[in-house]
Amino acid sequence: MLGIIAAIIDGVLIGSVYGLAALGLTLIWGVMEVINLTHGAAIVAGMFGLYLLANAVHIPPYATLPLILIGGFLVGIVLYWISVHRLMGRPPLMILLSTFAVNLVVIGLGTAAWGTDLFNVPVSLPSVTWGRYTFSGTHILAAALTTAIAGALYLFLYHTKLGKAVRAVANNREAAELAGIPTTRVLSLSFGLGVALAGAAGMLIATMFPFTVLSGDAYQLKSFVVTALGGLGNPAGALVGGIALGLIEGFAGQFMPVSWTLVIEFVLFVAVLIIFPRGIFAFRRA
Amino acid sequence: MSGKTTGTVAGEQRASLRRRPFFWIIAAVIAAFALAPAIGNNVELRESLLLATVYITLASNLNIMLGYAGYINFGSIVFFGLGGYTCVYLISAHGWPLAAAELAAGVAVSFLALVFGLGILRLRGAFFALATIGINEAVQAFVSNFEPWGGAAGLYLPTTIFKPLGGPMRALWVVYFLLVAVMGASLYLSYAVKSSKFGLGLIAIGQNEDAAVVLGVPAPLYKALAYSLSAFLPALAGGLYFFKSAFIQPSDAFDLNLSTEAMVIVMLGGRSTVTGAAIGAYLYEELRGYLLTSQTFSSFQLVISGALLLLIVLFVPGGLMGWIYGRWPRGKEVLE
Amino acid sequence: MSALLAVEDLGKSFGGLRAVSGLSFTVNEGEIVGLIGPNGAGKSTVFNLINGVFVPDAGRVQFRGGNITGETPYRVARHGIARTHQVVQPLAELTVLENCTVGACFGRENLPLYRARAVAREAAAFVGLEDRLAMPAAQLTIAGKKRLELARALSAQPLMLLLDEELAGLNATEIERMLEVIRSIRARGIAILIIEHLMQAIMGLSDRIVVLNSGQKLAEGAPAEIANNPAVIEAYLGDPALAASLHGGAPA
Amino acid sequence: MNDALLEVEELSAGYGEVQVVWGLSFAAARSKLTTLVGANGAGKTTTLRTVVGTISPWSGRVRFKGEDVTRLSAHAKAARGLVLVPEGRQLFTNMTVDENLEMGAFTGRGAHGYATRLERVFTLFPRLKERRKQKAGTFSGGEQQMLAIARALMTDPEVLIIDELSLGLAPLFVYQLFGTLKALKEDGLTVLLVEQNVHLALAVSDYAYVIAEGRLFTEGRPAALAAMPEIRRAYLGL
Amino acid sequence: MRKLYLLAAVAALVAAPAFADDMLTIGMTLSQTGPLNVDSVAQQRGAELWRDEVNAAGGIKAGSKHYKVRFVTYDDQSQGGRVQQLYTRLIVQDKSQFLFGPYSSGLCATAAVISEQYGKPMLITGGAEAKTLELGNKYLVQVLSRAGEYLAGAIRALESKNAHAKLAVVYADDPFSKAVAVAARKLAQAGGLDIVLDESYAPNTTDFSAIINKTISASAEALVGGGHYADGATLARQIHDQKANLKYISLLVAPDSPQFASLGDAAYGITVPSQWEVQAAYKPDFGPTGAAFAKAFAAKFKIAADYHSALGYAGGLLLQHAIEQSGSIDADKVVAVLNAMDVTTFFGRFKIATDPGHHGLQVAHEMVLAQWQRKNGRLEREVVWPKAAQTADLIYPLH
């Protein structure tokens, strides 16, 4: 019984980081209806950002978070102008392919530079022990930072003028333009935010787990599952969806072979898309 | 262009596919694929063309959903993989002959596709695209746990498996010719669909599904049929391909990258065109083959493919055929 | 004269908004019925309810004595009801001929491809598009696209046509031509339900007119009756008394 | 028309290869209410969209306060005080009244004097004040139109352009909105209106243009136009 | 046209040495870009060291001739897709006389379809799964111990400390790891260990909390399994982070990478079945000693040698020996020598099965078990099993 509760707690901790990763994806979808296939690459970039800054420049691991957020934001803006801007208003396939192409380039460069060797950033934090079960400090801090970033995003979107402009553009791009909001700049900013969030998620993941250049794929897939659970374009849903996924992984694994959780995850993913295309946790909207 | 109006009804009634030049163009392509390596027993060319046949098969069939009906299918490879598994399993565990195993694989996978299709084709746009990824991953995860199919360890075929086809040397030629046949069938299928009422309905769905439905196109049925139809030949190709490899494992059978490559090919050649899918596949295979075997580029082959794809998407969105039609509008009548 | 189409007590709400409620009317064989009303009165919604794009919340749609309420649009098309759209919906990359062929293939007769082409050609010629058969629909002018909508609907060889603002955006000569086309369609025995803003045109064309306002039937009758109905005039031109009061600056 | 704040000269525009507006010229005089009337599909909405810059003109010029603003983007024009209330309201339906109004004041121009303008808007539309925290998507058509106008006013417009003010609204709301427009005009705002309710439009406006098939059909003082039988015919076929 | 001539001339210049009479071409694919890239590249480096040493020494002597060695390599992206095409190319176009197998068992089985047809001997240095050698092939030669052997040492070492330990078997869903786990399970059951948890996970698994919680709940004392790099390292780190209190941990592959030390405390005490460790001082019949190899390797590549690089080198060394013994580069003669060979190199013993059902299967090479231990404050691998090769005592229990 204690094991199950421990699994639930762990699920929530990890799940919140999945949620953060998915937040980047869902924000971009919500604002411009683009599925960003550079998402996985952005997560990996966050991981290597931590590795390089912490190992080469000797910045304390958690101090890299703001740097990675800023860097991700700037890179995201550049990516928007390269791979998305020209294709807005064209069939969705085009942007899928252009972001996929950028993903190939990034992963290709990463592989050429680092191979697929293993990288680990040792972070030692006190952990919390509860009976036989231990919750690693890195997981707890990652969940806490995720909550903080998600909270900051909430404050930005709901309590700053620029953030409200992002929501306005998401809601009705033409009306936003007519209200004097420079929508193209807001789109590039949103893309930057999405990439920054993915990078931050990658950075936090890298404090918990070793990684390789190819780790992004798995997290990108998880982000898809999370966005489906939470509803595409719904930031609050992404967090809830992430935690739900973490719970499924932690909880279901206690009752069946762990290798089956992946089957459950993806079957659920497809089923949710078919039955609740706006996500299980999507709150009724007007 | 008013010259097009002059054909009589009776004339059109008799105008079968064989009357059009494109029929013979496909025949010529098949002949070239079959003969080029056979002359002089050029095995290396055969192996290179063999991958091209697989790519052309995948791309042509993907084109039915993606090009004609306008549905983004990220998981088209699931048919290829399931076909491979069914075929390899029936041969290794039940000793079926290749032909029977192939047929069973094609039929079973098409049926499964129909079932999947009826489920996920209610979705549109990005939701459909995501669901196709989900299906591929779910199937891969399932097969990895499915012990009769070897689970994660995969299935091996002993060398004796090539005996009925006259030993390994001949068997590989037989498999190659069969793959060329599957490729030819894919081209003809894709062409026949495009020239049929069914294809017209699909293209109408691809252009504007709501309008098509109002015009009477039974969209749900057509989409599910297209999905199922486009599963058959890739399943056969998968069966042959993994038979030849003598080994199949989930990560090779359900490799999402191959799905994406098929999409890239369709874009490269030009959506919704039979020729485009074929030429795109051939060019892509040659390019990747070159990059992979080039000492200079092999470390950067991903970067180069990515950059090239980006340039095409940004600057030549119509793909090769779009570009050709733009230069030479009459091309549409010859190269479908 | 039997009713070809009978709409009975039709209702549809979107969210809290009642778009159509308690609407009943009929269209007889060979008849042209005008459906008019101010913008936002629910006219296009009525079309969407008849041909199955929307499923009604209440009421029934009967066609040739059978109940077709809630059937999918492609089944309704197969029954012999074809329509045009207010906002043209061309299959943009397909040629004019191909657009019409789609209509013919999947319409009432469910024709095979080769016969559908012949029908499509005839329909295109009927609306005057015979010299643009090979042109992609996207390249047509707005008038051309309007005509294409009509040709596509006719290709289905329908028993009944729903025409949604077929004349909007056309110039005077084009309107004249289109009216002729519509009349000759009726002459073939096809019943027509038409939404139109151009009063002059619809008054001259229709046998009967149904006036909608806020989703409900405001009036029904012969064109002359409708033209002199004060409620209709108010719905269209606004309340002259209200206007006068604004003019004077004093609230009424 | 020397005091014209907004001048449109020989404007042509369209979508793709289809031309909708053909060499249209008109002007909106300072502190006056100018109306464009015309049948559905006459090209009024396209004209307005071109004027404010959501679509680019094929040819012709738009002058605002004497300056050529033809090629400016819509948000840049809004920032200068050229503001459109689009057809169908186009509110931020997922956002509250307050947020919609704040977005109206997004530009530097609108941000200046935000509080006083908010007060004024709430005085004009007390209903909005009662529902400040409510989401715009839950409003009735009339309330939405109020909010749309209020949002545009928050931009501190010099020219307020309204597309189809009365579309789909109950008469009570129509009356209120026209009353408000009249009051705004009397306060010195320049208004350019597209309206299907010809009686009302002509009743409140100072000058009117009749558009047909994307071209100027006729123009003049409202009283004179209202008397013209051609207009009655064009609208009602009577 | 002139350009073409120029190009041809340049090509001829570049290609000229390749077609000299005394050139021996060895073809192979490796995964430059796929997930298996680390092991594959390490192996490649070992092979390159061998090649360079041979060429520096004047080449391989076969009869009266001296053959310089040249490699032709292509990227297989760790995927089966192009392996047959590339091996055909290696044989037909590049005229490889001998082949090294691709990395991983599945790819070897696929490549074997081609190599067998042309009767080209293929040395498997990166495919431990025995199934590949049970398909009826005649020209395959496995240099390394088969998958079934991997955890044998680990299990015996555990039994020596606690014959009834509660054991968790946790392994990746890939052909190699699964084969290893299946064999380990059998051995453990036969030896009386109590298997309290038997779990597999997807190779791209990123979070092992669920498995570790289950391990804790099952009160496991020991854990054996793992898979390849990312997963194995993550598993090790999470076991440490979640304080699973295991007394004994043995993981495949990942702990063999020098990078594993970057896990710090999480690496401490983890054992890894290894095909070779520098400390295992076999007395070679020919070729360098382990220490000499390790030194040369470190000098050339500036990184420590691991068993994958040793495998690459050993493959070359064995091939060289066979060619020299047979006195020719004729494939059948060389294979005949390899069939009969029973030798010891720095890598350990080499002898293959010759019966048709298992031809080429490695039967003599023994694996060692290495453990990450602290030495002068630094983490280093020590050989702890078998006792005969031991350089340090097994640390047990870890907690």
PDB file of all heavy atoms in Angstrom, chain D residues 172-195:
ATOM      1  N   LEU D 172     -34.159  47.308 -29.966  1.00  0.00           N
ATOM      2  CA  LEU D 172     -33.855  48.125 -28.801  1.00  0.00           C
ATOM      3  C   LEU D 172     -32.364  48.462 -28.762  1.00  0.00           C
ATOM      4  O   LEU D 172     -31.962  49.609 -28.550  1.00  0.00           O
ATOM      5  CB  LEU D 172     -34.249  47.375 -27.523  1.00  0.00           C
ATOM      6  CG  LEU D 172     -34.063  48.171 -26.238  1.00  0.00           C
ATOM      7  CD1 LEU D 172     -35.017  49.368 -26.204  1.00  0.00           C
ATOM      8  CD2 LEU D 172     -34.267  47.283 -25.034  1.00  0.00           C
ATOM      9  N   PHE D 173     -31.546  47.450 -29.007  1.00  0.00           N
ATOM     10  CA  PHE D 173     -30.102  47.643 -29.011  1.00  0.00           C
ATOM     11  C   PHE D 173     -29.691  48.561 -30.148  1.00  0.00           C
ATOM     12  O   PHE D 173     -28.836  49.424 -29.998  1.00  0.00           O
ATOM     13  CB  PHE D 173     -29.377  46.299 -29.166  1.00  0.00           C
ATOM     14  CG  PHE D 173     -29.203  45.575 -27.866  1.00  0.00           C
ATOM     15  CD1 PHE D 173     -29.807  44.353 -27.642  1.00  0.00           C
ATOM     16  CD2 PHE D 173     -28.426  46.140 -26.866  1.00  0.00           C
ATOM     17  CE1 PHE D 173     -29.643  43.693 -26.449  1.00  0.00           C
ATOM     18  CE2 PHE D 173     -28.255  45.478 -25.666  1.00  0.00           C
ATOM     19  CZ  PHE D 173     -28.873  44.256 -25.452  1.00  0.00           C
ATOM     20  N   VAL D 174     -30.301  48.334 -31.306  1.00  0.00           N
ATOM     21  CA  VAL D 174     -29.954  49.145 -32.473  1.00  0.00           C
ATOM     22  C   VAL D 174     -30.189  50.606 -32.141  1.00  0.00           C
ATOM     23  O   VAL D 174     -29.333  51.469 -32.397  1.00  0.00           O
ATOM     24  CB  VAL D 174     -30.811  48.739 -33.686  1.00  0.00           C
ATOM     25  CG1 VAL D 174     -30.509  49.626 -34.874  1.00  0.00           C
ATOM     26  CG2 VAL D 174     -30.546  47.282 -34.024  1.00  0.00           C
ATOM     27  N   TYR D 175     -31.305  50.848 -31.542  1.00  0.00           N
ATOM     28  CA  TYR D 175     -31.656  52.223 -31.193  1.00  0.00           C
ATOM     29  C   TYR D 175     -30.615  52.809 -30.237  1.00  0.00           C
ATOM     30  O   TYR D 175     -30.090  53.896 -30.461  1.00  0.00           O
ATOM     31  CB  TYR D 175     -33.046  52.228 -30.546  1.00  0.00           C
ATOM     32  CG  TYR D 175     -33.365  53.549 -29.905  1.00  0.00           C
ATOM     33  CD1 TYR D 175     -33.617  54.670 -30.692  1.00  0.00           C
ATOM     34  CD2 TYR D 175     -33.402  53.675 -28.523  1.00  0.00           C
ATOM     35  CE1 TYR D 175     -33.882  55.889 -30.093  1.00  0.00           C
ATOM     36  CE2 TYR D 175     -33.663  54.881 -27.923  1.00  0.00           C
ATOM     37  CZ  TYR D 175     -33.911  55.994 -28.714  1.00  0.00           C
ATOM     38  OH  TYR D 175     -34.166  57.192 -28.129  1.00  0.00           O
ATOM     39  N   GLN D 176     -30.299  52.055 -29.210  1.00  0.00           N
ATOM     40  CA  GLN D 176     -29.309  52.516 -28.228  1.00  0.00           C
ATOM     41  C   GLN D 176     -27.969  52.813 -28.884  1.00  0.00           C
ATOM     42  O   GLN D 176     -27.356  53.849 -28.636  1.00  0.00           O
ATOM     43  CB  GLN D 176     -29.072  51.428 -27.179  1.00  0.00           C
ATOM     44  CG  GLN D 176     -30.047  51.477 -26.053  1.00  0.00           C
ATOM     45  CD  GLN D 176     -29.646  50.503 -24.948  1.00  0.00           C
ATOM     46  OE1 GLN D 176     -28.569  49.921 -24.979  1.00  0.00           O
ATOM     47  NE2 GLN D 176     -30.531  50.344 -23.986  1.00  0.00           N
ATOM     48  N   LEU D 177     -27.539  51.878 -29.742  1.00  0.00           N
ATOM     49  CA  LEU D 177     -26.210  52.028 -30.341  1.00  0.00           C
ATOM     50  C   LEU D 177     -26.160  53.250 -31.252  1.00  0.00           C
ATOM     51  O   LEU D 177     -25.192  54.012 -31.244  1.00  0.00           O
ATOM     52  CB  LEU D 177     -25.841  50.771 -31.117  1.00  0.00           C
ATOM     53  CG  LEU D 177     -25.471  49.571 -30.241  1.00  0.00           C
ATOM     54  CD1 LEU D 177     -25.269  48.321 -31.080  1.00  0.00           C
ATOM     55  CD2 LEU D 177     -24.206  49.870 -29.436  1.00  0.00           C
ATOM     56  N   PHE D 178     -27.202  53.437 -32.014  1.00  0.00           N
ATOM     57  CA  PHE D 178     -27.210  54.621 -32.882  1.00  0.00           C
ATOM     58  C   PHE D 178     -27.208  55.904 -32.062  1.00  0.00           C
ATOM     59  O   PHE D 178     -26.570  56.889 -32.421  1.00  0.00           O
ATOM     60  CB  PHE D 178     -28.390  54.579 -33.860  1.00  0.00           C
ATOM     61  CG  PHE D 178     -28.045  53.874 -35.132  1.00  0.00           C
ATOM     62  CD1 PHE D 178     -28.398  52.547 -35.333  1.00  0.00           C
ATOM     63  CD2 PHE D 178     -27.341  54.530 -36.121  1.00  0.00           C
ATOM     64  CE1 PHE D 178     -28.056  51.889 -36.495  1.00  0.00           C
ATOM     65  CE2 PHE D 178     -27.001  53.885 -37.295  1.00  0.00           C
ATOM     66  CZ  PHE D 178     -27.364  52.558 -37.483  1.00  0.00           C
ATOM     67  N   GLY D 179     -27.940  55.853 -30.952  1.00  0.00           N
ATOM     68  CA  GLY D 179     -27.934  57.012 -30.058  1.00  0.00           C
ATOM     69  C   GLY D 179     -26.527  57.297 -29.559  1.00  0.00           C
ATOM     70  O   GLY D 179     -26.058  58.446 -29.564  1.00  0.00           O
ATOM     71  N   THR D 180     -25.830  56.213 -29.187  1.00  0.00           N
ATOM     72  CA  THR D 180     -24.466  56.381 -28.703  1.00  0.00           C
ATOM     73  C   THR D 180     -23.555  56.972 -29.784  1.00  0.00           C
ATOM     74  O   THR D 180     -22.764  57.878 -29.514  1.00  0.00           O
ATOM     75  CB  THR D 180     -23.901  55.008 -28.274  1.00  0.00           C
ATOM     76  OG1 THR D 180     -24.836  54.398 -27.402  1.00  0.00           O
ATOM     77  CG2 THR D 180     -22.575  55.171 -27.574  1.00  0.00           C
ATOM     78  N   LEU D 181     -23.718  56.445 -30.986  1.00  0.00           N
ATOM     79  CA  LEU D 181     -22.881  56.942 -32.086  1.00  0.00           C
ATOM     80  C   LEU D 181     -23.078  58.433 -32.288  1.00  0.00           C
ATOM     81  O   LEU D 181     -22.141  59.191 -32.500  1.00  0.00           O
ATOM     82  CB  LEU D 181     -23.250  56.234 -33.389  1.00  0.00           C
ATOM     83  CG  LEU D 181     -22.515  54.942 -33.729  1.00  0.00           C
ATOM     84  CD1 LEU D 181     -22.719  54.636 -35.215  1.00  0.00           C
ATOM     85  CD2 LEU D 181     -21.033  55.067 -33.428  1.00  0.00           C
ATOM     86  N   LYS D 182     -24.344  58.810 -32.228  1.00  0.00           N
ATOM     87  CA  LYS D 182     -24.669  60.217 -32.432  1.00  0.00           C
ATOM     88  C   LYS D 182     -23.990  61.067 -31.353  1.00  0.00           C
ATOM     89  O   LYS D 182     -23.380  62.112 -31.644  1.00  0.00           O
ATOM     90  CB  LYS D 182     -26.188  60.398 -32.349  1.00  0.00           C
ATOM     91  CG  LYS D 182     -26.660  61.526 -33.217  1.00  0.00           C
ATOM     92  CD  LYS D 182     -28.180  61.545 -33.280  1.00  0.00           C
ATOM     93  CE  LYS D 182     -28.623  62.882 -33.810  1.00  0.00           C
ATOM     94  NZ  LYS D 182     -29.946  63.247 -33.356  1.00  0.00           N
ATOM     95  N   ALA D 183     -24.059  60.569 -30.124  1.00  0.00           N
ATOM     96  CA  ALA D 183     -23.432  61.300 -29.020  1.00  0.00           C
ATOM     97  C   ALA D 183     -21.928  61.419 -29.237  1.00  0.00           C
ATOM     98  O   ALA D 183     -21.329  62.474 -29.023  1.00  0.00           O
ATOM     99  CB  ALA D 183     -23.718  60.586 -27.698  1.00  0.00           C
ATOM    100  N   LEU D 184     -21.312  60.292 -29.689  1.00  0.00           N
ATOM    101  CA  LEU D 184     -19.862  60.307 -29.912  1.00  0.00           C
ATOM    102  C   LEU D 184     -19.503  61.336 -30.979  1.00  0.00           C
ATOM    103  O   LEU D 184     -18.513  62.066 -30.862  1.00  0.00           O
ATOM    104  CB  LEU D 184     -19.396  58.926 -30.345  1.00  0.00           C
ATOM    105  CG  LEU D 184     -19.362  57.874 -29.233  1.00  0.00           C
ATOM    106  CD1 LEU D 184     -19.149  56.495 -29.824  1.00  0.00           C
ATOM    107  CD2 LEU D 184     -18.262  58.205 -28.228  1.00  0.00           C
ATOM    108  N   LYS D 185     -20.312  61.354 -32.029  1.00  0.00           N
ATOM    109  CA  LYS D 185     -20.048  62.288 -33.113  1.00  0.00           C
ATOM    110  C   LYS D 185     -20.127  63.716 -32.589  1.00  0.00           C
ATOM    111  O   LYS D 185     -19.292  64.570 -32.909  1.00  0.00           O
ATOM    112  CB  LYS D 185     -21.058  62.084 -34.229  1.00  0.00           C
ATOM    113  CG  LYS D 185     -20.824  62.981 -35.423  1.00  0.00           C
ATOM    114  CD  LYS D 185     -21.965  62.923 -36.402  1.00  0.00           C
ATOM    115  CE  LYS D 185     -23.113  63.772 -35.909  1.00  0.00           C
ATOM    116  NZ  LYS D 185     -24.197  63.878 -36.893  1.00  0.00           N
ATOM    117  N   GLU D 186     -21.130  63.943 -31.768  1.00  0.00           N
ATOM    118  CA  GLU D 186     -21.282  65.293 -31.252  1.00  0.00           C
ATOM    119  C   GLU D 186     -20.118  65.687 -30.339  1.00  0.00           C
ATOM    120  O   GLU D 186     -19.809  66.870 -30.194  1.00  0.00           O
ATOM    121  CB  GLU D 186     -22.633  65.439 -30.540  1.00  0.00           C
ATOM    122  CG  GLU D 186     -23.733  65.697 -31.572  1.00  0.00           C
ATOM    123  CD  GLU D 186     -25.115  65.244 -31.117  1.00  0.00           C
ATOM    124  OE1 GLU D 186     -25.284  64.983 -29.908  1.00  0.00           O
ATOM    125  OE2 GLU D 186     -25.998  65.133 -31.973  1.00  0.00           O
ATOM    126  N   ASP D 187     -19.474  64.672 -29.783  1.00  0.00           N
ATOM    127  CA  ASP D 187     -18.266  64.952 -28.994  1.00  0.00           C
ATOM    128  C   ASP D 187     -17.039  65.186 -29.861  1.00  0.00           C
ATOM    129  O   ASP D 187     -15.946  65.397 -29.352  1.00  0.00           O
ATOM    130  CB  ASP D 187     -17.954  63.761 -28.069  1.00  0.00           C
ATOM    131  CG  ASP D 187     -18.778  63.851 -26.796  1.00  0.00           C
ATOM    132  OD1 ASP D 187     -19.588  64.785 -26.700  1.00  0.00           O
ATOM    133  OD2 ASP D 187     -18.600  62.981 -25.927  1.00  0.00           O
ATOM    134  N   GLY D 188     -17.200  65.033 -31.157  1.00  0.00           N
ATOM    135  CA  GLY D 188     -16.081  65.357 -32.032  1.00  0.00           C
ATOM    136  C   GLY D 188     -15.424  64.184 -32.728  1.00  0.00           C
ATOM    137  O   GLY D 188     -14.469  64.348 -33.472  1.00  0.00           O
ATOM    138  N   LEU D 189     -15.950  62.957 -32.493  1.00  0.00           N
ATOM    139  CA  LEU D 189     -15.352  61.777 -33.135  1.00  0.00           C
ATOM    140  C   LEU D 189     -15.787  61.709 -34.602  1.00  0.00           C
ATOM    141  O   LEU D 189     -16.919  62.044 -34.948  1.00  0.00           O
ATOM    142  CB  LEU D 189     -15.826  60.520 -32.395  1.00  0.00           C
ATOM    143  CG  LEU D 189     -15.226  59.200 -32.844  1.00  0.00           C
ATOM    144  CD1 LEU D 189     -13.748  59.156 -32.517  1.00  0.00           C
ATOM    145  CD2 LEU D 189     -15.948  58.040 -32.175  1.00  0.00           C
ATOM    146  N   THR D 190     -14.844  61.286 -35.438  1.00  0.00           N
ATOM    147  CA  THR D 190     -15.174  61.064 -36.840  1.00  0.00           C
ATOM    148  C   THR D 190     -15.615  59.613 -36.994  1.00  0.00           C
ATOM    149  O   THR D 190     -14.916  58.719 -36.520  1.00  0.00           O
ATOM    150  CB  THR D 190     -13.947  61.340 -37.720  1.00  0.00           C
ATOM    151  OG1 THR D 190     -13.440  62.625 -37.381  1.00  0.00           O
ATOM    152  CG2 THR D 190     -14.291  61.266 -39.179  1.00  0.00           C
ATOM    153  N   VAL D 191     -16.754  59.393 -37.644  1.00  0.00           N
ATOM    154  CA  VAL D 191     -17.267  58.024 -37.759  1.00  0.00           C
ATOM    155  C   VAL D 191     -17.506  57.682 -39.223  1.00  0.00           C
ATOM    156  O   VAL D 191     -18.039  58.498 -39.985  1.00  0.00           O
ATOM    157  CB  VAL D 191     -18.593  57.861 -36.971  1.00  0.00           C
ATOM    158  CG1 VAL D 191     -19.096  56.428 -37.081  1.00  0.00           C
ATOM    159  CG2 VAL D 191     -18.400  58.239 -35.511  1.00  0.00           C
ATOM    160  N   LEU D 192     -17.057  56.479 -39.611  1.00  0.00           N
ATOM    161  CA  LEU D 192     -17.357  55.956 -40.947  1.00  0.00           C
ATOM    162  C   LEU D 192     -18.122  54.649 -40.732  1.00  0.00           C
ATOM    163  O   LEU D 192     -17.665  53.750 -40.047  1.00  0.00           O
ATOM    164  CB  LEU D 192     -16.048  55.686 -41.709  1.00  0.00           C
ATOM    165  CG  LEU D 192     -16.189  55.052 -43.098  1.00  0.00           C
ATOM    166  CD1 LEU D 192     -16.955  55.964 -44.042  1.00  0.00           C
ATOM    167  CD2 LEU D 192     -14.812  54.734 -43.674  1.00  0.00           C
ATOM    168  N   LEU D 193     -19.306  54.584 -41.327  1.00  0.00           N
ATOM    169  CA  LEU D 193     -20.229  53.499 -40.993  1.00  0.00           C
ATOM    170  C   LEU D 193     -20.642  52.723 -42.245  1.00  0.00           C
ATOM    171  O   LEU D 193     -20.906  53.325 -43.289  1.00  0.00           O
ATOM    172  CB  LEU D 193     -21.464  54.123 -40.341  1.00  0.00           C
ATOM    173  CG  LEU D 193     -22.538  53.208 -39.792  1.00  0.00           C
ATOM    174  CD1 LEU D 193     -22.025  52.439 -38.597  1.00  0.00           C
ATOM    175  CD2 LEU D 193     -23.765  54.021 -39.395  1.00  0.00           C
ATOM    176  N   VAL D 194     -20.670  51.406 -42.119  1.00  0.00           N
ATOM    177  CA  VAL D 194     -21.308  50.589 -43.147  1.00  0.00           C
ATOM    178  C   VAL D 194     -22.540  49.998 -42.500  1.00  0.00           C
ATOM    179  O   VAL D 194     -22.468  49.445 -41.395  1.00  0.00           O
ATOM    180  CB  VAL D 194     -20.364  49.479 -43.632  1.00  0.00           C
ATOM    181  CG1 VAL D 194     -21.149  48.346 -44.257  1.00  0.00           C
ATOM    182  CG2 VAL D 194     -19.366  50.023 -44.627  1.00  0.00           C
ATOM    183  N   GLU D 195     -23.683  50.131 -43.130  1.00  0.00           N
ATOM    184  CA  GLU D 195     -24.911  49.747 -42.445  1.00  0.00           C
ATOM    185  C   GLU D 195     -25.940  49.269 -43.452  1.00  0.00           C
ATOM    186  O   GLU D 195     -26.110  49.855 -44.512  1.00  0.00           O
ATOM    187  CB  GLU D 195     -25.419  50.953 -41.648  1.00  0.00           C
ATOM    188  CG  GLU D 195     -26.694  50.737 -40.891  1.00  0.00           C
ATOM    189  CD  GLU D 195     -26.657  49.515 -39.982  1.00  0.00           C
ATOM    190  OE1 GLU D 195     -25.731  49.413 -39.163  1.00  0.00           O
ATOM    191  OE2 GLU D 195     -27.550  48.664 -40.110  1.00  0.00           O
TER     192      GLU D 195
END
